[in-house]
C-alpha cells in the first residue's frame, strides 16, 4: 500500500489501491486536478503547478491519469521507456526533478491513442498507483481524465486523494460544471481546495490591456460555488502553447505561477519540505518572464540572483545538484548485494551493488530521508563506482564530506548513515564472494 504519511497528525491515511512498490513510498499530499470538460488546460495547469512547487523546493510527482488526452511526458519533454526495479516501476524524472509517470510511457508507440473505456482506464491507473516507486514526495498531482466521468470518479474513489484543484475557463458553463464537480467531491468525500481559472484573459503585449477573449471572467463565481478559494487566473499566451509543445513547461515562469503556488501552499500546506528551498524573488516583480523562451530555450531558469534561505546555504552547489538530479537513486532488478540501515534520526537507506568479481560495477541507493541523505547516498554510490570492495569499505564519512564540499551541520549524521549502509552492502558482497570461493 502507498504510505501517505500525514505529517501534521502522524496518522496513516487508509489507502485502497495496493501494490508492492508502495512500502518505499512516502507521499504527504495527493491532489487531483479536475475539469468539467476537456481542452480547458487541466494538464497544463497540473504541469504548471508541479513546476512552481518544484521550483519552491518541494518534492513533486505527477501521475498522468488523463491517458486519452495530450500526455504529461510531452509537457516535460520526457520519453520512455520507463525502467522497473526490484520493487516497482521507476518514474521518469524531469530536468527540475519532477517525477512523472503516465500510461503513455508504458505503452508501445506513444502516438497510438488509447481506445479504452472508463472502467478499464480507472483499473489501469489504480494498478499503476500501487506499482510506482515514487519514494518521498511532498505532493503527488494526479491529472484526472476530463469531466466528471466514471473514470475520474473511480480513480478518486480508489486513490487516497487529499484535495481537488478545479480548472475552469471563462466560457465554461460555470454553474452546471461546478455543481457536478461539487457533487462528485461530496460523493468521494474529498474537498475542493481551490479553483484555477485558465485562459482568463489575453494581455495585449503592447498596451497590457486585458482582452476577455472567451467572455467575462467567472473565476470568482465558480470559486464561490465550490466553496473554495480562487487560486489563480491564468492569461492566454501563445508562447505557453509553444513551450508546452516543445516539452519546456519548466521554462515557464511568470507572476501568476507564483500566485498559484502561494495560494496552493496556503490551501494545502504540508509541514517540512523534503527538498531544499529555492525562491526566485526577481520573478515576483516581472510580469512575464519566459526564461529564454525565444532566443535560448536551454537557458537555466533560476539565475544567480536566486535567493536561497539561510539553512540551505550550507548545501554546496555539488550537494544541491545531487539532490535535484538524484543520480543513482533507484534499485536493480537483481542486485548482487544490499545493505539497509536505519539511522538514529529515523531515516533509512538501502544501497544495492552490482559486482564484477570483487569490483563494484554499479551502486544505487534508496532512502526515505531528507535532501541531505539523498546527496550523501548519491555521492557515495558515485564514489563506490569501479572500486574494489576492500577500497569501498575504507570510504569514511570525512571522505564523503570532502566530495560533497558542505551540507548543513545538523545533517552531518547523514554522512555516517550513508557510509554505514555502503559498508553493510560491501559486507554482504564479501560474505557472498567468500561463500562462492569456498564452494569452488
Ligand atoms: P486539458 O488537459 O484540459 O484537455 P490541455 O492542458 O491539454 O487541456 O490544454 C489544451 C491546449 O491549450 C494545450 O495545447 C495547451 O498548451 C494550451 N493551453 C492551455 N492553457 C493555455 C494558456 N493559458 N495559454 C495558451 N495556451 C494554453
Amino acid at each position: 500500500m502507498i504510505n501517505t504519511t500525514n505529517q501534521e497528525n502522524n496518522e496513516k491515511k487508509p489507502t485502497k489501491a495496493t501494490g508492492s512498490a508502495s512500502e518505499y513510498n512516502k507521499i504527504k499530499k495527493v491532489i487531483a486536478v479536475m475539469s468539467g470538460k476537456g481542452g480547458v488546460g487541466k494538464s497544463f495547469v497540473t504541469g504548471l503547478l508541479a513546476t512552481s512547487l518544484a521550483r519552491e523546493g518541494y518534492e513533486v510527482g505527477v501521475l498522468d491519469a488523463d491517458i486519452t488526452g495530450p500526455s504529461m511526458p510531452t509537457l516535460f519533454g520526457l520519453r520512455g521507456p520507463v525502467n522497473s526495479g526490484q520493487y516497482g516501476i521507476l518514474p521518469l524524472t524531469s530536468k527540475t526533478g519532477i517525477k512523472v509517470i503516465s500510461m503513455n510511457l508504458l505503452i508501445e508507440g506513444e502516438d497510438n491513442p488509447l481506445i479504452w473505456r472508463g472502467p478499464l482506464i480507472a483499473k489501469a491507473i489504480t494498478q499503476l498507483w500501487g506499482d510506482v516507486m515514487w519514494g518521498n514526495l511532498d505532493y503527488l498531482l494526479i491529472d484526472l481524465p476530463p469531466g466528471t466521468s466514471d473514470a475520474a470518479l473511480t480513480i478518486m474513489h480508489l486513490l487516497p486523494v487529499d484535495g481537488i484543484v478545479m480548472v475552469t475557463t471563462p466560457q465554461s458553463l460555470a454553474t452546471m460544471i461546478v455543481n457536478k464537480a461539487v457533487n462528485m467531491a461530496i460523493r468521494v468525500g474529498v474537498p475542493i481546495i481551490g479553483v484555477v481559472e485558465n485562459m482568463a484573459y489575453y494581455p495585449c503585449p503592447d498596451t497590457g490591456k486585458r482582452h476577455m477573449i472567451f467572455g467575462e471572467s467567472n473565476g470568482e463565481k465558480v470559486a464561490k460555488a465550490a466553496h473554495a478559494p480562487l487560486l489563480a487566473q491564468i492569461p492566454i499566451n501563445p508562447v505557453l502553447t509553444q513551450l508546452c509543445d516543445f516539452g519546456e513547461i519548466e521554462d515557464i515562469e511568470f507572476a501568476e505561477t507564483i500566485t498559484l503556488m502561494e495560494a496552493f501552499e496556503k490551501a494545502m500546506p504540508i509541514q517540512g519540505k523534503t527538498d531544499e528551498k529555492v525562491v526566485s524573488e526577481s520573478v515576483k516583480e516581472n510580469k512575464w518572464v519566459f526564461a529564454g523562451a525565444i532566443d535560448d530555450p536551454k537557458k537555466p531558469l533560476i539565475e544567480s540572483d536566486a535567493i536561497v534561505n539561510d539553512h540551505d546555504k550550507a548545501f554546496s552547489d555539488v550537494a544541491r545538484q545531487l539532490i535535484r538530479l538524484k543520480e543513482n537513486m533507484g534499485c536493480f532488478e537483481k542486485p548482487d548485494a544490499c545493505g539497509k540501515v536505519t539511522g538514529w534520526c529515523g531515516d533509512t537507506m538501502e544501497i544495492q551493488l552490482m559486482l564484477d568479481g570483487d569490483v563494484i560495477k554499479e551502486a544505487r541507493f534508496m532512502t526515505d530521508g531528507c535532501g541531505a541523505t539523498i546527496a550523501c547516498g548519491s555521492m557515495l554510490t558515485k564514489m563506490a563506482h569501479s572500486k574494489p570492495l576492500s577500497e569501498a569499505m575504507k570510504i569514511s564519512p570525512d571522505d564523503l564530506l570532502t566530495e560533497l564540499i558542505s551540507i548543513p551541520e545538523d545533517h552531518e549524521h547523514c554522512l555516517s548513515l550513508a557510509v554505514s549502509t555502503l559498508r553493510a552492502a560491501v559486507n554482504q558482497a564479501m560474505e557472498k564472494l567468500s561463500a562462492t570461493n569456498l564452494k569452488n
Side-chain angles (χ1 to χ4, degrees):
M1 262 196 321
I2 289 267
N3 220 346
T4 50
T5 304
N6 181 334
Q7 292 241 322
E8 281 94 328
N9 55 17
N10 263 343
E11 271 176 19
K12 265 187 192 166
K13 249 177 74 141
T15 57
K16 304 149 201 169
T18 58
S20 57
S22 43
E23 74 175 275
Y24 286 97
N25 293 336
K26 234 190 232 170
I27 302 170
K28 290 179 190 162
K29 296 282 181 201
V30 179
I31 309 297
V33 185
M34 191 178 126
S35 66
K37 64 184 187 83
V40 300
K42 174 182 49 58
S43 302
F44 165 71
V45 170
T46 309
L48 208 58
L49 186 55
T51 299
S52 320
L53 289 167
R55 209 173 271 158
E56 192 66 8
Y58 290 107
E59 281 293 322
V60 185
V62 179
L63 171 62
D64 182 5
D66 183 4
I67 59 182
T68 51
S71 138
M72 198 53 72
T74 310
L75 295 183
F76 287 95
L78 296 169
R79 292 182 80 85
V82 184
N83 291 319
S84 64
Q86 194 181 5
Y87 302 100
I89 301 165
L90 302 171
L92 293 184
T93 304
S94 76
K95 63 182 177 186
T96 64
I98 298 165
K99 293 177 183 170
V100 180
I101 201 79
S102 163
M103 285 298 285
N104 285 341
L105 290 168
L106 301 169
I107 52 169
E108 271 182 43
E110 61 180 83
D111 296 332
N112 296 333
L114 268 180
I115 317 168
W116 284 4
R117 288 169 44 162
L120 208 51
I121 295 175
K123 195 168 168 229
I125 295 298
T126 43
Q127 186 180 341
L128 190 58
W129 166 268
D131 289 342
V132 177
M133 277 283 299
W134 294 107
N136 282 355
L137 289 182
D138 292 317
Y139 294 105
L140 175 68
L141 307 180
I142 305 177
D143 185 24
L144 284 181
T148 44
S149 62
D150 273 357
L153 188 73
T154 315
I155 290 168
M156 293 230 287
H157 243 313
L158 293 175
L159 305 188
V161 178
D162 293 288
I164 298 167
V165 168
M166 221 182 107
V167 182
T168 66
T169 52
Q171 87 274 34
S172 305
L173 296 167
T175 328
M176 196 182 81
I177 286 169
V178 171
N179 283 347
K180 269 192 175 178
V182 170
N183 283 340
M184 181 166 166
I186 291 171
R187 273 175 75 187
V188 293
V190 181
I192 297 180
I193 57 159
V195 172
V196 177
E197 188 179 30
N198 189 29
M199 307 189 199
Y201 58 90
Y202 174 72
C204 173
D206 299 327
T207 62
K209 188 171 182 302
R210 294 181 175 194
H211 297 278
M212 306 301 179
I213 309 263
F214 294 126
E216 280 306 308
S217 159
N218 60 18
E220 292 286 358
K221 207 164 98 189
V222 172
K224 209 168 157 205
H227 306 290
L230 180 61
L231 301 177
Q233 289 176 298
I234 299 176
I236 303 166
N237 192 301
V239 185
L240 296 180
T241 327
Q242 210 181 326
L243 286 170
C244 289
D245 289 349
F246 289 140
E248 302 284 354
I249 194 163
E250 289 159 293
D251 285 347
I252 295 175
E253 195 163 7
F254 54 96
E256 283 78 1
T257 55
I258 304 276
T259 319
L260 171 64
M261 192 278 307
E262 286 180 349
F264 176 85
E265 254 184 335
K266 230 177 177 176
M268 196 33 75
I270 55 156
Q271 271 178 13
K273 284 176 193 172
T274 304
D275 202 350
E276 86 268 43
K277 185 176 163 72
V278 180
V279 184
S280 177
E281 285 286 336
S282 59
V283 148
K284 291 185 182 175
E285 279 121 47
N286 293 338
K287 255 199 114 199
W288 286 89
V289 184
F290 291 101
I294 285 136
D295 54 350
D296 180 10
K298 297 278 176 254
K299 199 170 144 200
L301 186 64
I302 305 223
E303 311 255 8
S304 52
D305 62 351
I307 293 168
V308 176
N309 77 9
D310 281 348
H311 175 268
D312 289 336
K313 266 184 192 150
F315 278 113
S316 66
D317 285 346
V318 175
R320 279 175 194 288
Q321 188 76 348
L322 292 170
I323 295 167
R324 283 232 164 273
L325 298 180
K326 298 172 186 58
E327 224 175 304
N328 292 340
M329 195 169 186
C331 48
F332 299 109
E333 202 161 333
K334 282 195 186 134
D336 291 320
C338 316
K340 190 170 174 180
V341 173
T342 301
W344 58 261
C345 56
D347 291 349
T348 300
M349 184 178 287
E350 177 168 341
I351 290 184
Q352 299 186 344
L353 306 177
M354 294 301 289
L355 302 173
D356 184 4
D358 70 342
V359 172
I360 298 174
K361 210 165 59 178
E362 234 184 301
R364 291 199 186 148
F365 76 101
M366 283 175 295
T367 180
D368 60 1
C370 58
T373 325
I374 294 172
C376 291
S378 190
M379 179 56 90
L380 188 59
T381 45
K382 277 156 72 87
M383 289 167 76
H385 185 263
S386 298
K387 278 204 169 52
L389 292 170
S390 54
E391 288 298 309
M393 196 62 138
K394 288 184 202 155
I395 300 174
S396 69
D398 281 346
D399 297 333
L400 178 54
L401 184 58
T402 307
E403 293 299 318
L404 286 169
I405 302 169
S406 74
I407 60 170
E409 230 172 275
D410 57 348
H411 280 79
E412 284 186 356
H413 59 271
C414 304
L415 299 162
S416 306
L417 170 62
V419 168
S420 310
T421 314
L422 177 65
R423 287 180 183 169
V426 170
N427 256 331
Q428 194 188 75
M430 286 174 158
E431 276 167 20
K432 278 189 177 175
L433 273 182
S434 52
T436 323
N437 289 341
L438 276 179
K439 259 195 227 160
N440 299 335

